């Protein structure tokens, strides 16, 4: 592991990071994608080192995102014994798996947020992968989760593991073979990607696979199973979202056969909604009393705005786009891989081709539609802070767009290598994971 640190900028980060917030899971607090910084970076130059706090080389291949708590950054990776292994980027629709059956080491890393230096490293699993991966995926795609005391990393078929924040092993558990792939061809495996989430004293994992899918809650302290609910689902890759409500907390999952809400304390199913796409990858987001769920694999590409606290079968009647439980819906506007972001009164959806649509979150009225950049492929989900949206392309370009009713591109910056992982925001520090490095970016305060 190599670290490039610019001393002057390191001092800058110490100043900028005084009020840094935590980014504990995929898409940060409550999966919102919204950071609490007041002066996140607008412009940088990775090649010249401009506004780059530090750059750390990360071994292996992974598109899991970094998470942050206090002065630590936690991330996962899978190190293949074949150094030629990489991502295949671009817009394509191949269903074949990547030809990578070499022995791997699955690792959990903790870095110092101020310097990027390695604090500790653990290798809970090693050997040949139990399932294959998609050419655009990895053997370490799920993002870890932390509550500041425990760090939980899920590696699909290899298992789930928990460490204390100082790197002490707390527990490991095997959740079985997670053969998630194309449902028409079980031999075409793409790897697990749904990330674990923490609710109270439990960590919850959505395990949608070729058969016998389930969702399970494990005790954070010792990994003991607290509840398990079977799901009549085929493979899916979205992360569940914890949604607080009046008198109950809902656990919302995106799935092909149905979007479902569960009681997060018991695992009891509360409601279902369909139809949905044949492949689902995005994570639900919520706000304004609504839960927004989308998927973009044809022929069904829906957007649903579901009222928090609903019950039963929420499926809309023929010809209807709203009901007592559905504030609004759109049958064809959904997106495939990037999770939407709800910022203020607007819901932003980013397509794999870089076309972004902004909707009035309360009514579903489309405000604008705009292509980001001049093309390319986008799989990382947008994040935002201080009235800005950060949108990373697979080419390594990060576009900074003004949040609001009118599209305005504020800046375009490159990190110089492919970006497939969703970035993180720790206060005013932007953390971007590229194919080979972790980049920490910060600007001087005005």
């Amino acid at each position: 592991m190599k670290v490039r640190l610019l001393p002057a900028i390191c001092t800058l980060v110490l100043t900028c990071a005084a009020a840094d917030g935590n980014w504990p899971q995929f898409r940060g607090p409550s999966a919102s994608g919204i950071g609490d910084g007041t002066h996140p970076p607008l412009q940088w130059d990775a090649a010249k080192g401009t506004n780059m706090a530090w750059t750390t080389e990360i071994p292996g291949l992974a598109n899991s995102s970094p998470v942050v708590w206090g002065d630590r950054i936690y991330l996962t990776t899978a190190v293949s014994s074949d150094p030629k292994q990489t991502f295949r980027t671009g817009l394509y629709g191949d269903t074949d798996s990547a030809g990578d059956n070499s022995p791997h080491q699955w690792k959990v890393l903790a870095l110092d947020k101020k310097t990027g230096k390695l604090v500790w490293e653990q290798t809970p699993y090693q050997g040949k992968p139990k399932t294959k991966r998609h050419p655009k995926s990895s053997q370490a795609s799920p993002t870890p989760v932390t509550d500041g005391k425990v760090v939980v990393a899920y590696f699909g078929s290899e298992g789930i593991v928990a460490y204390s924040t100082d790197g002490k092993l707390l527990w490991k558990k095997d959740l079985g073979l997670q053969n998630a792939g194309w449902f028409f061809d079980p031999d075409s495996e793409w790897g697990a990607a749904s990330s674990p989430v923490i609710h109270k004293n439990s960590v919850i994992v959505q395990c949608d696979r070729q058969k016998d899918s389930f969702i399970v809650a494990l005790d954070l302290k010792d990994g003991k199973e607290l509840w398990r609910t079977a799901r009549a689902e085929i493979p899916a890759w979205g992360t569940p979202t914890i949604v607080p409500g009046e008198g109950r907390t809902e656990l919302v999952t995106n799935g092909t056969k149905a979007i479902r809400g569960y009681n997060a304390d018991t695992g009891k199913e509360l409601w279902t909604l369909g139809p949905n796409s044949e492949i689902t990858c995005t994570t639900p987001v919520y706000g304004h009393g609504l839960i927004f769920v989308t998927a973009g694999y044809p022929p069904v590409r829906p957007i649903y705005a579901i009222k928090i606290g609903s019950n039963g079968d929420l499926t809309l009647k023929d010809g209807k786009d709203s009901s007592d439980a559905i504030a609004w819906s759109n049958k064809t506007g959904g997106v495939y891989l990037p999770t939407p972001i709800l910022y203020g009164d607007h819901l932003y959806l980013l397509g794999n081709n870089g076309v972004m649509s902004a909707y009035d979150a309360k009514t579903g009225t489309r405000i604008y539609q705009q292509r980001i950049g001049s093309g390319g492929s986008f799989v990382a989900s947008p994040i935002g802070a201080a009235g800005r949206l950060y949108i990373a392309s697979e080419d390594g370009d990060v576009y900074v767009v003004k949040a609001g009713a009118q599209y305005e591109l504020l800046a375009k910056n490159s990190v110089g290598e492919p970006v497939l992982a969703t970035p993180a925001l720790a206060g005013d520090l932007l953390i971007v994971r590229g194919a080979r490095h972790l980049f920490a970016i910060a600007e001087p305060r005005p």
Side-chain angles (χ1 to χ4, degrees):
M1 178 175 292
K2 299 178 181 178
V3 180
R4 295 202 307 272
L5 180 65
L6 302 181
I9 301 299
C10 182
T11 303
L12 158 68
V13 173
L14 291 174
T15 302
C16 289
D20 281 0
N22 298 319
W23 193 267
Q25 65 168 73
F26 176 68
R27 292 292 304 286
S30 303
S32 66
I34 305 297
D36 61 1
T38 58
H39 190 67
L42 176 62
Q43 295 180 318
W44 61 88
D45 189 319
K48 296 180 179 178
T50 306
N51 291 332
M52 304 298 295
W54 48 261
T55 300
T56 299
E57 184 177 358
I58 304 297
L61 190 71
N63 48 24
S64 56
S65 299
V67 299
V68 185
W69 194 284
D71 59 358
R72 294 286 182 269
I73 298 172
Y74 304 99
L75 68 161
T76 61
T77 189
V79 182
S80 170
S81 59
D82 180 358
K84 297 180 181 179
Q85 291 301 323
T86 186
F87 298 113
R88 179 187 167 195
T89 58
L91 290 169
Y92 59 90
D94 292 359
T95 61
D96 292 340
S97 306
D100 181 10
N101 192 37
S102 60
H104 280 62
Q105 291 183 326
W106 285 264
K107 294 180 178 292
V108 182
L109 311 176
L111 307 183
D112 185 285
K113 186 177 67 176
K114 298 180 180 67
T115 66
K117 293 182 179 180
L118 182 67
V119 178
W120 55 260
E121 172 185 323
Q122 297 291 354
T123 306
Y125 305 102
Q126 50 188 332
K128 288 189 175 182
K130 296 178 181 178
T131 58
K132 294 173 282 189
R133 66 174 178 89
H134 190 276
K136 195 172 284 193
S137 184
S138 70
Q139 292 291 349
S141 293
T143 294
V145 63
T146 182
D147 63 351
K149 299 177 182 178
V150 179
V151 181
V152 180
Y154 172 53
F155 292 107
S157 295
E158 272 54 53
I160 186 169
V161 60
Y163 292 98
S164 66
T165 52
D166 59 3
K168 178 183 177 182
L169 177 65
L170 300 177
W171 53 267
K172 293 170 67 174
K173 192 174 182 68
D174 185 353
L175 294 177
L177 191 68
Q178 304 300 319
N179 55 337
W182 196 30
F183 40 86
F184 289 128
D185 181 7
D187 292 330
S188 185
E189 297 172 335
W190 297 341
S194 182
S195 302
V197 296
I198 288 176
H199 172 60
K200 296 181 180 177
N201 66 333
S202 67
V203 58
I204 300 174
V205 189
Q206 180 179 336
C207 299
D208 288 343
R209 50 191 185 175
Q210 294 289 359
K211 62 179 181 179
D212 300 326
S213 297
F214 62 93
I215 193 161
V216 64
L218 308 174
D219 194 305
L220 265 181
K221 181 178 61 177
D222 54 16
K224 179 182 178 181
E225 190 168 303
L226 300 176
W227 57 257
R228 177 185 292 229
T229 301
R231 286 167 56 80
E233 272 300 340
I234 58 179
W237 291 267
T239 297
T241 297
I242 304 292
V243 181
E246 187 175 348
R248 71 185 193 190
T249 300
E250 298 178 32
L251 175 72
V252 183
T253 63
N254 198 1
T256 292
K257 293 188 176 180
I259 301 162
R260 295 178 174 89
Y262 299 89
N263 186 309
D265 294 312
T266 66
K268 179 183 177 181
E269 186 177 288
L270 301 171
W271 54 264
T272 61
L273 171 63
N276 205 3
S277 294
E278 287 185 349
I279 299 175
T280 58
C281 302
T282 62
T283 295
V285 296
Y286 68 92
H288 302 298
L290 302 172
I291 306 165
F292 301 94
V293 186
T294 183
Y297 191 87
V300 182
R301 300 186 294 112
I303 310 171
Y304 292 110
I306 308 157
K307 296 180 183 178
I308 296 174
S310 298
N311 293 284
D313 186 351
L314 311 185
T315 301
L316 292 164
K317 295 181 179 180
D318 290 344
K320 299 293 184 179
D321 59 11
S322 64
S323 67
D324 290 341
I326 309 297
W328 60 269
S329 66
N330 187 318
K331 293 182 176 63
T332 59
V335 291
Y336 184 26
L337 291 175
T339 289
I341 184 168
L342 175 65
Y343 202 129
D345 292 331
H346 298 106
L347 180 71
Y348 301 88
L349 276 71
L350 177 68
N352 289 50
N353 59 359
V355 174
M356 186 169 73
S357 300
Y359 293 84
D360 183 302
K362 297 176 184 178
T363 67
T365 301
R366 195 173 74 185
I367 306 300
Y368 72 73
Q369 190 172 70
Q370 176 72 41
R371 181 177 295 279
I372 307 296
S374 57
S377 179
F378 294 72
V379 298
S381 301
I383 60 173
R388 300 170 181 172
L389 304 177
Y390 292 82
I391 302 166
S393 77
E394 288 187 22
D395 294 329
D397 296 320
V398 181
Y399 298 85
V400 187
V401 174
K402 184 177 180 180
Q406 292 185 332
Y407 176 83
E408 181 181 348
L409 178 64
L410 300 176
K412 174 187 173 182
N413 309 280
S414 177
V415 297
E417 62 188 52
V419 175
L420 287 82
T422 296
L425 279 163
D428 291 338
L429 188 68
L430 175 66
I431 304 169
V432 179
R433 182 175 197 163
R436 297 298 179 190
H437 296 86
L438 193 66
F439 303 91
I441 307 162
E443 278 185 355
R445 287 183 179 272

